[in-house]
Amino acid sequence: MKKFSISNIGLAIAAPLAAAIFSIIVSSLAVIATKKSPIDAFQTMWEFGTQSGSLMEVVNTATPYYIAAIAIAVTFRAGLFNIGVEGQLRLGALFSCYIGAMFVLPPVLHVAAVFLISMTFGGLWAAIAAYLKVKRGVNEVISTIMLNSLAGGLSAYLLSKHFALIEEGSNNLQTKELPASAQVPDLMPILRKFGVEDQPGGGVYGMFFVAVALGLIFWFVVNRTRFGFELRATGMNPIAARVSGVNSKKMTVIALMLSGAIAGLSGLPEVLGQTHSYNLGFRAGIGFSAIAVALLGRNSAGGMAISALLFGFLEVSSRALELIDIAPETYVIMQGSILLSSVVAYEVVRRFKLVLQSRELAKAVHA
Amino acid sequence: MKLVKLLRYATMLVFVLASIRVITGASDLTSVGTASAALLLSVPIVLAALGGLFAERAGVVNIGLEGMMILGAWAGGFIGSKHGPWLGLLAAVFFGSVGALIHAVATVTFGVDHVVSGVAINIIAAGLVRYLSTILYQGGSWPGPSQSPDVNSISLNGLPVLSGGHYFGWKSPDLLGSIANKQWFFISDLASILRGLTGDLSYVTVVAIAFVPLAYFLLWKTSLGLRLRSAGEAPVAAESLGVNVYAMKYLGVLISGGFAGLGGGFLAIVAANHYQENQVAGRGYIGLAALLFGNYRPGGLLAGAGLFGFADALQLRDSAAIHGLILFIVLILGFVAYRNLRKGKQLAAVLSLASAALSLWFFFAVEELPGQLVTMTPYIATLLVMALASQRLRMPAADGMPYRRGGLR
């Protein structure tokens, strides 16, 4: 079925292109509404965003988005929707920082242990939603949203009442600092070899490699293994999957818990690479941006990588807008409009493809 | 018959709450203030759930209620502070409908997955209002990037004779209020809850509650309602009988957005007196949960919303009352254990009995719940209620399915 004809490639590009154009129009209108020039805005963003210091930040912003988007894509492929990544990654990061700082292990082992703790708590938190779905028939979208709010309250309570160090004269609550063996070094030593100069504000988080590896594993498992096939079968046609011997309840539980475990990892790049402890300033909203990244990237490993980088680029480069008196929040408009228009454009292209297919079929039958 | 049963349950509930109040000394459990706050906090959830009702009955899943409420709350704060509260509410309805229009275009016209479109709308709405607030703040017309100027309040009134309202310059006696102050066990509890529900009401609250029977009438007693529901039950059959299914779906989703927007506007204008970032805080989703709890029926969603409103009110007013509520959970779990034992499910009975014992231990071990945990009450209530209620639901048969005229996929 798959042919590399010009029309196929054209169709593949059509949707993202249309979405990008729509987004540029909408955000231009938003800028014009504040009596500023959109061309200045885009130019400023491009110039600032392509500096090597900014590019490093783009990658650092995109890394957790990408990992969290993979977590969401796992459930999407199984016909589920885990909106609870935000809560799962928060609890994962909190517990892994708290428990991880209690002991010392050899460097690589310690990081692996922290990963494991974070994945365990993320997975267990998602297991609540899985239990409610399988045993009580509760829609996972609503339960994971409620669990997000619960995770917010629970982590605030645990941090302030139990996990935080009491420091004299400091308002910032934080867990005990992770020992050096649990910290992930940044990639400057490698980048320097390629002629990249040091930038103020640090280099690229080491967990960038983890994100890349996860992307490859995700692609391989979903597309090339029996488990991945069963996962996709459950998502595409649950009844057909069940008839052919897939235990759909088991798949639901596995998909949600696996998703929670991966979500647990997505809270770690900044924690292990920079702050080395969980504190009140823990970055909020990763889980929600990741939903947009997953939708934009069509739940494919490559697509999500591109959209994670795009979101990171928009977020970082828009900071320069302040210099020319435009609200940096303009990037939310860009992200929102590109998300909405791409979701619609993908569907239009899908329908158009169906029409083409049925025409070809009709031709083949009558010929 | 049904009404008698309902009244019996309600009386039992008040009796149990009154008993817990006496045992634990958590006087806010049945106070006038709690009942009144519960009503106030139920209204936005009722409105969101009504919004969900119209969309889902027309066959469109509307997770985007949250985003539409955010739009409504923002518009309520923005327009309300400039042009008065009533225009603010109108603007809230309009903004909610605009969000709904996007949802309708995406799902009905273009066939995008309903949940995907709804979640996208939630993300976009939150981003859009943040952008707009920032611009207004920079323009110097807002006090902060996350807060609108104050909105004038809408006046309050109560039932005549019973709850001390005022009509044309006449101040009515406050019968329920005086009984509530008598401290008689159960009778005063009942009176103070009724006083809280019928006294010092905002006119918007009255209108919002009146929408519930109105929605029932519109959806189940008119031909328009029949057509709208047929679009959610069997769109192909409806189309073959001449119903314009697309139009019905658009109508359902637009009404849905209007209600959600009004719910948001209510939060900004009546429940508070200005818009604030994160004001909606998941109430759109809770509204949807109330609708599911109420089995996609107006009366049911009212009960669900009341429950969440009560949990929310207790949480806001008094953490001691929440502590008392743990005892209530012990009672429910004990009841569940008894039911399981009767049905011969030993394991389930033992498990629920163990949870009951654990909750009881928690009740005695912890003197007062810390604030961060108390704020979790409405969300825990939602999860628990969903877990207990979800199994007997009957959603509209074609709810959430993409539909194309002529049966194309």
Side-chain angles (χ1 to χ4, degrees), chain A residues 131-138 249, chain B residues 292-293 295 343 345 385-395:
Chain A
Y131 169 81
L132 289 173
K133 170 98 184 169
V134 171
K135 290 285 177 190
R136 314 297 312 179
V138 180
K249 284 192 172 177
Chain B
L292 265 61
F293 169 77
N295 201 8
K343 281 189 203 157
K345 294 182 189 166
V385 164
M386 293 288 289
L388 293 175
S390 278
Q391 282 178 328
R392 279 172 297 162
L393 296 183
R394 190 212 160 279
M395 64 198 273

Side-chain angles (χ1 to χ4, degrees), chain B residues 330 333 350-360:
Chain B
V330 173
L333 285 170
V350 170
L351 278 179
S352 29
L353 208 60
S355 330
L358 193 71
S359 310
L360 198 64

